[in-house]
């Protein structure tokens, strides 16, 4: 299995090289020739990306967009679904525009297409790069079978801010893991050859720092030192460039007080000059016109600012289309600025093979055969089981036996539309199971599952409405006491209670920030009532962010965080609940004890007055809560247990040109098979700038049978020890380093070595 995956990775890498070597000269000649024929208006038209949401549902296409396509004023369209409607518009571009330039069709294929994989935050909890790469590959096969050749993914914004709803769309708080996931996703989407019918162009977003908004409020101000950007937030974006991502998307926020979309330092000096990105940059939705609200000037001014900054394509703002001609005549932008952007977009279309065959991704036969297949669903189900994090399992309530009576309660227990999770544009929720349905299937006639909703999402109907949009509504108009009583009655009749609770799927995602992170009031009250029955309880916590769960940890014996597991979530949850699969997910976000600890993250700096224990006057701590989290980064239990025997270092000195090895033997000491994620952390003890108390520098996911041991080896070389110093040079500095190995960031064994 491992050999297979190494071979696959090598193949991808080799082919990526070949793909890079795409006949550049030939492409240049083709584009020179085409651009030689283009008018100024046609060039500006390529920079325009309108939305086609209004077109999806209608059988006739919107006259306005069609008119613009015919006039050569559209470079691409996004978020429309289905070969037929996409083909109709491609035909307009190819047959009725003067130069027949094909459109590029994009979509937010974020965590799968109709086969929906777990939300990206959950995916990261699997730490399974092969499976994540495969999820992107499957997403790509399905999306390209349905006419899409460009996805607005991966979203790689580092996030230490659980109030921010879009934590759900990223890969958690760690730059090393985030970089690995970014690479895997891009390999999965783009494969070896972008012109292949089954691969699509990736778009790394949101560049940059979108995951660090003040107070966790979406779109809010970001302010950060350059040292922090380069060391802690930029690595996954840079990994995207290195992996050959075809495009980047700007973020909505300011960087150094200039919106990313108009920030030349970011889009040109860092992204292109420093990192060597050679694809194109698209704005986020109306990010150009939003610069007016940021106080950067009128539409003409901000559009020129964006183009000059190095932004190539305007999503929905109509800023480029409406003002660039005038800006050119007034000398505010140059022909070279416009040509550069136009060329980059034409190059993307060329690499996708659209000039060879504009209908390459529009094969209706493929759409019928390759979407939501049994094999794809099986992959999604398996991966979902790897993303669930078992936070505690007192008295081994889990796994459940298939016998007796099971009370399934809670607002997430019998909903279909909430299973796939936020940003699943192509989901076909009608085809997915609710947990209630899956659980009945899972037990067959061996046990009885009794269901009661028990409560609404929360008492406040308005809050629930705003958290259950886009067809996810689930409000029950019965009085709270009636719903609760029904659940308690059922619980009393049963042997065990499974409480499916937490957030509905639209309570995370875009524009879904929260100021509190606890389980919502009505659900907490229901949990208390259920606890009073004295029956064992399993809490399945659905969530798109870290949750504050002090009461639950004290009072509910077993807690399994299930996030949003995608189209196959319900079956996957049953696989784990009934023990067909042992949970193996590990937290990629730190779980706080209170919202007041936020931002809380494992790889922080030391203060001058660190405090390992609570409370101590004149040290860095709180009066009312310890510094440490409820659950640390990297944490997660299994149905089996793992022992880490003595770790070793091959040497206690290392030369900058050499390497050493850290080794540890991990043994499955329980009585069932399980997977474990072995983690390596390093601390640079003394530096020219303050260095984090630990940083993830390696991990390996291993599966062990009962009694089986595995020697896990991590190679440490200078590359792993490098960081950006105060001058933003990437260096490693001689001195002492501490190496930590363990099952999470807290429970580690430590050894030291010196870099000569
Ligand atoms: C989001 C992006 C998304 C875009 C296009 C924006 O609102 O921020 O993540 O790709 O819309 O749908």
């Amino acid at each position: 299995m491992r050999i297979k995956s190494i071979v696959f990775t090598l193949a991808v890498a080799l082919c990526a090289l070949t793909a890079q070597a795409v006949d550049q000269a030939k492409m240049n000649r083709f584009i020179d020739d085409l651009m030689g024929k283009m008018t100024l208006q046609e060039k500006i038209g390529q920079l325009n990306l309108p939305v086609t949401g209004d077109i999806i549902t209608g059988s006739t296409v919107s006259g306005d967009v069609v008119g613009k396509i015919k006039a050569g004023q559209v470079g691409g369209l996004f978020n429309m679904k289905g070969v037929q409607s996409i083909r109709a518009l491609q035909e307009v571009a190819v047959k009725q525009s003067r130069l027949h330039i094909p459109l590029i069709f994009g979509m937010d294929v974020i965590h799968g297409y109709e086969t929906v994989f777990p939300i990206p935050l959950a995916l990261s909890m699997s730490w399974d790069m092969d499976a994540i790469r495969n999820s992107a590959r499957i997403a790509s096969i399905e999306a390209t079978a349905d006419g899409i050749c460009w996805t607005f993914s991966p979203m790689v914004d580092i996030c230490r801010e659980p109030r921010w709803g879009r934590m759900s769309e990223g890969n958690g708080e760690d730059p090393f893991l985030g970089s690995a996931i970014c690479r895997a996703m891009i390999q999965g989407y783009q494969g070896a050859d972008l012109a292949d019918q089954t691969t699509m162009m990736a778009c790394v977003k949101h560049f940059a720092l979108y995951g660090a908004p003040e107070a966790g409020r979406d779109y809010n101000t970001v302010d950060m030192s350059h040292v922090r950007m380069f060391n802690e937030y930029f690595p996954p974006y840079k990994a995207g460039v290195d992996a050959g991502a075809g495009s980047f998307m700007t973020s909505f926020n300011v960087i150094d007080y200039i919106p990313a979309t108009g920030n030349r330092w970011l889009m040109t000096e860092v992204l292109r000059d420093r990192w060597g990105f050679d694809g194109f940059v698209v704005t986020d939705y109306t990010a150009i016109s939003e610069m007016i609200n940021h106080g950067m000037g009128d539409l003409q001014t901000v559009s020129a600012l964006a183009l000059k900054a190095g932004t190539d394509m305007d999503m929905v703002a109509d800023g480029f289309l409406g003002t660039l001609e005038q800006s050119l005549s007034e000398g505010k932008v140059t022909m070279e600025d416009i040509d550069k952007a136009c060329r980059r977009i034409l190059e993307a279309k060329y690499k996708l093979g659209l000039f060879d065959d504009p209908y390459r991704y529009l094969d209706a036969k493929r759409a019928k055969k390759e979407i939501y297949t049994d094999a794809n669903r099986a992959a999604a189900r398996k991966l979902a089981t790897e993303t669930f994090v078992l936070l505690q399992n007192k008295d081994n309530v889990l796994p459940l036996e298939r016998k007796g009576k099971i009370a399934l309660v809670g607002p997430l227990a019998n909903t279909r539309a909430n299973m796939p999770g936020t940003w699943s544009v192509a989901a076909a929720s009608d085809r997915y199971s609710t947990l209630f349905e899956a659980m009945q299937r899972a037990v067959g006639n061996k046990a009885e599952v009794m269901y009661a909703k028990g409560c609404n999402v929360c008492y406040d109907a308005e809050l629930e409405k705003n958290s259950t949009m886009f067809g996810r509504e689930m409000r029950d108009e019965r009085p709270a006491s009636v719903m609760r009583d029904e659940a308690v009655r059922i619980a009393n009749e049963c042997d065990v209670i499974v409480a499916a609770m937490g957030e509905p799927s639209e309570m995370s995602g875009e524009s879904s920030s929260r100021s509190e992170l606890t389980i919502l009031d009505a659900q907490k009250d229901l949990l208390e009532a259920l606890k009073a029955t004295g029956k064992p309880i399993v809490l399945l916590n659905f969530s798109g962010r870290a949750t504050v769960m002090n009461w639950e940890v004290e009072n509910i014996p077993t807690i399994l965080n299930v996030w949003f597991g995608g189209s196959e979530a319900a079956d996957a949850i049953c696989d784990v609940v009934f023990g067909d699969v042992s949970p193996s997910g590990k937290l990629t976000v730190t779980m706080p004890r209170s919202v007041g600890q936020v931002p809380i993250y494992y790889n922080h700096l030391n203060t001058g007055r660190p405090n390992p224990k609570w409370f101590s006057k004149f040290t860095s701590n709180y009066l009312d809560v310890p510094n440490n989290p409820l659950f640390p980064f990297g944490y997660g239990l299994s149905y089996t247990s793992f022992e880490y025997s003595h770790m070793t270092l091959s040497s206690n000195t290392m030369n900058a040109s050499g390497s050493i090895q850290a080794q540890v033997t991990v043994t499955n000491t329980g009585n069932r098979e399980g997977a474990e994620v072995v983690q390596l952390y390093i601390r640079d003890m003394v530096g020219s700038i303050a260095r984090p108390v630990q940083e993830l520098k390696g991990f390996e996911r291993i599966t062990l049978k009962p009694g089986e041991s595995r020697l896990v080896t991590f190679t440490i070389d200078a590359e792993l020890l490098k960081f950006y110093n105060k001058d933003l040079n990437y260096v490693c500095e001689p001195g002492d380093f501490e190496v930590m190995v363990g099952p999470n960031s807290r429970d580690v064994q430590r050894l030291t070595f010196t870099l000569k």
Side-chain angles (χ1 to χ4, degrees):
M1 190 59 211
R2 284 197 57 207
I3 292 182
K4 244 169 77 189
S5 91
I6 291 167
V7 170
F8 176 77
T9 311
L10 281 177
V12 168
L14 275 176
C15 297
L17 279 179
T18 337
Q20 303 265 304
V22 146
D23 196 336
Q24 187 83 28
K26 194 170 160 210
M27 177 172 81
N28 289 347
R29 275 197 306 277
F30 177 86
I31 292 175
D32 286 345
D33 180 55
L34 179 59
M35 285 182 66
K37 296 180 196 144
M38 291 171 81
T39 62
L40 170 64
Q41 291 76 11
E42 283 165 337
K43 288 177 179 172
I44 294 173
Q46 286 303 307
L47 319 188
N48 186 32
L49 182 71
V51 69
T52 45
D54 52 338
I55 294 169
I56 302 171
T57 46
S59 49
T60 53
V61 288
S62 145
D64 188 29
V65 172
V66 169
K68 282 187 175 151
I69 297 172
K70 284 185 191 162
Q73 293 179 341
V74 176
L77 296 163
F78 69 101
N79 282 356
M80 62 192 304
K81 196 180 171 197
V83 168
Q84 242 187 340
S85 33
I86 294 180
R87 178 178 274 271
L89 291 180
Q90 189 68 302
E91 276 181 0
V92 175
V94 173
K95 295 186 179 155
Q96 299 184 50
S97 74
R98 192 179 74 92
L99 290 172
H100 321 292
I101 300 176
L103 301 170
I104 184 171
F105 288 92
M107 186 187 263
D108 288 277
V109 183
I110 308 293
H111 49 110
Y113 192 70
E114 276 190 33
T115 303
V116 184
F117 286 84
I119 56 169
L121 179 64
L123 281 183
S124 70
M125 310 268 170
S126 75
W127 303 58
D128 187 339
M129 297 308 117
D130 290 341
I132 291 175
R133 185 183 302 106
N134 190 42
S135 76
R137 170 84 188 122
I138 289 173
S140 185
I141 292 171
E142 291 198 5
T144 55
D146 222 12
I148 302 299
C149 56
W150 179 33
T151 176
F152 302 141
S153 172
M155 190 281 214
V156 301
D157 304 322
I158 293 297
C159 180
R160 303 162 166 178
E161 187 36 277
R163 290 174 294 185
W164 189 54
R166 303 195 81 171
M167 172 179 264
S168 55
E169 290 177 61
N171 304 312
E173 70 191 38
D174 186 71
F176 183 86
L177 180 64
S179 300
I181 294 176
C182 180
R183 281 190 289 273
M185 300 280 293
I186 290 169
Q187 288 163 356
Y189 289 138
Q190 298 195 161
D193 176 8
L194 269 180
D196 184 301
Q197 230 196 355
T198 65
T199 59
M200 60 183 170
M201 184 170 278
C203 181
V204 174
K205 70 186 189 185
H206 308 81
F207 194 55
L209 315 181
Y210 185 29
E214 280 181 3
R217 181 157 47 78
D218 208 356
Y219 320 121
N220 204 8
T221 303
V222 173
D223 191 11
M224 190 183 287
S225 73
H226 284 203
V227 166
R228 173 166 277 189
M229 288 180 200
F230 273 81
N231 283 315
E232 300 163 39
Y233 282 76
F234 278 178
Y237 305 113
K238 173 155 189 311
V241 174
D242 295 342
S247 65
F248 260 62
M249 185 186 288
T250 69
S251 60
F252 288 122
N253 52 281
V254 297
I255 313 270
D256 295 333
Y257 285 72
I258 299 173
T261 305
N263 193 315
R264 188 176 162 81
W265 173 76
L266 189 69
M267 292 306 160
T268 297
E269 289 177 35
V270 175
L271 183 62
R272 296 187 189 280
D273 299 347
R274 189 170 180 138
W275 294 348
F277 175 65
D278 66 354
F280 76 97
V281 173
V282 63
T283 74
D284 202 345
Y285 205 103
T286 60
I288 288 183
S289 50
E290 288 179 25
M291 283 198 277
I292 301 170
N293 282 340
H294 280 287
M296 306 300 294
D298 62 13
L299 188 63
Q300 185 188 348
T301 307
V302 295
S303 302
L305 189 68
L307 188 74
K308 285 260 167 226
T311 296
D312 305 307
M313 195 177 223
D314 170 359
M315 189 191 283
V316 186
D318 270 348
F320 283 175
L321 195 67
T323 71
L324 282 188
E325 211 178 325
Q326 191 181 345
S327 288
L328 180 68
S329 70
E330 292 170 3
K332 291 177 177 149
V333 301
T334 63
M335 199 57 225
E336 197 196 339
D337 296 328
I338 295 171
D339 277 345
K340 248 197 249 171
C342 176
R343 176 176 292 274
R344 289 174 186 146
I345 290 158
L346 294 175
E347 281 179 356
K349 294 182 178 183
Y350 184 95
K351 290 177 190 159
L352 284 164
L354 289 169
F355 287 110
D356 281 343
D357 177 6
Y359 308 108
R360 184 177 291 264
Y361 306 95
L362 292 164
D363 173 353
K365 278 189 252 112
R366 274 192 66 204
K368 281 209 186 77
K369 269 200 330 246
E370 296 178 23
I371 296 175
Y372 200 56
T373 62
D374 289 348
N376 293 355
R377 292 180 60 196
R381 177 170 172 172
K382 178 162 187 297
L383 180 47
T385 64
E386 296 182 7
T387 67
F388 306 148
V389 181
L390 184 63
L391 293 174
Q392 66 178 13
N393 193 17
K394 292 182 195 153
D395 310 326
N396 293 329
V397 177
L398 280 181
L400 300 186
E401 284 184 58
R402 290 171 160 95
K403 68 170 200 204
K405 288 186 177 178
I406 301 164
L408 177 64
V409 298
L412 275 302
N414 199 20
T415 158
R416 207 178 303 288
N418 282 277
M419 291 295 105
T422 189
W423 267 123
S424 35
V425 175
S429 295
D430 299 352
R431 302 165 83 173
Y432 311 151
S433 295
T434 74
L435 184 55
F436 183 36
E437 289 163 349
M439 203 171 264
Q440 287 170 297
R441 250 193 328 263
V443 299
N445 53 15
K446 293 188 185 140
E448 188 182 346
V449 183
M450 299 179 76
Y451 161 75
K453 185 168 178 183
C455 66
N456 277 311
V457 168
C458 52
Y459 293 125
D460 181 348
E462 190 66 19
L463 172 58
E464 177 162 339
K465 184 170 140 243
N466 296 336
S467 314
T468 52
M469 295 185 157
F470 316 122
R472 271 85 161 167
E473 299 78 10
M474 53 206 237
R475 189 85 183 161
D476 194 315
E477 293 307 333
R478 288 177 294 165
S481 60
V482 170
M483 293 173 74
R484 189 156 57 236
D485 290 351
E486 182 191 27
V488 170
R489 184 168 44 73
I490 285 173
N492 274 319
E493 271 184 52
C494 289
D495 308 302
V496 62
I497 302 165
V498 176
M501 296 193 174
E503 301 181 330
S505 66
E506 294 313 304
M507 200 162 211
S508 58
E510 189 165 352
S511 188
S512 291
S513 295
R514 289 182 66 188
S515 71
E516 299 289 348
L517 300 173
T518 43
I519 302 262
L520 292 140
D521 50 13
Q523 302 189 52
K524 166 82 183 314
D525 288 352
L526 175 61
L527 267 180
E528 281 183 19
L530 294 171
K531 178 178 158 60
T533 65
K535 306 277 173 157
I537 306 180
V538 175
L539 171 59
L540 301 176
N541 183 37
F542 287 78
S543 174
R545 50 159 63 83
T547 314
V548 168
M549 286 194 281
N550 302 309
W551 183 89
E552 291 75 11
V553 166
E554 284 274 296
N555 291 280
I556 307 296
T558 293
I559 304 176
L560 182 71
N561 247 56
V562 294
W563 320 108
F564 291 95
S567 54
E568 315 309 309
D571 288 315
I573 291 171
C574 293
D575 292 341
V576 170
V577 163
F578 294 106
D580 304 330
V581 180
S582 188
S584 57
K586 300 265 193 174
L587 292 177
T588 58
V589 290
T590 300
M591 287 281 202
R593 293 175 187 277
S594 82
V595 78
Q597 288 183 315
V598 169
I600 182 170
Y601 49 95
Y602 84 95
N603 49 351
H604 58 85
L605 303 183
N606 231 354
T607 66
R609 296 183 178 195
N611 176 11
K613 59 182 194 311
W614 186 50
F615 167 86
S616 162
K617 193 69 183 166
F618 302 121
T619 66
S620 179
N621 53 196
Y622 300 97
L623 285 168
D624 54 352
V625 69
N627 287 354
N628 65 359
L630 197 55
F631 296 105
F633 178 86
Y635 181 85
L637 303 173
S638 164
Y639 294 155
T640 188
S641 49
F642 298 99
E643 193 184 274
Y644 285 63
S645 62
H646 291 303
M647 96 185 242
T648 58
L649 277 186
S650 58
S651 169
N652 54 13
T653 58
M654 188 182 120
N655 293 320
S657 58
S659 65
I660 59 170
Q661 294 188 324
Q663 291 190 314
V664 70
T665 300
V666 183
T667 305
N668 181 344
T669 51
N671 51 15
R672 53 163 72 224
E673 181 177 296
E676 168 71 338
V677 180
V678 185
Q679 298 158 43
L680 168 81
Y681 297 88
I682 295 182
R683 176 174 183 182
D684 185 353
M685 300 306 290
V686 178
S688 60
I689 60 171
R691 303 284 290 122
V693 295
Q694 59 183 153
E695 291 175 288
L696 182 75
K697 290 293 175 181
F699 59 89
E700 191 170 331
R701 194 186 146 88
I702 55 174
T703 301
L704 297 177
K705 298 208 176 338
E708 191 184 348
S709 292
R710 175 93 41 90
L711 179 68
V712 176
T713 303
F714 295 106
T715 299
I716 300 169
D717 60 14
E719 202 51 37
L720 274 194
L721 309 178
K722 284 186 179 168
F723 64 96
Y724 291 90
N725 67 13
K726 73 172 183 17
D727 301 317
L728 303 183
N729 292 322
Y730 195 48
V731 297
C732 60
E733 295 175 343
D736 292 343
F737 291 83
E738 191 172 48
V739 182
M740 292 155 259
V741 173
N744 61 62
S745 60
R746 183 189 62 199
D747 306 317
V748 292
Q749 303 179 36
R750 297 162 194 266
L751 288 174
T752 56
F753 74 92
T754 306
L755 177 69
K756 296 285 183 198

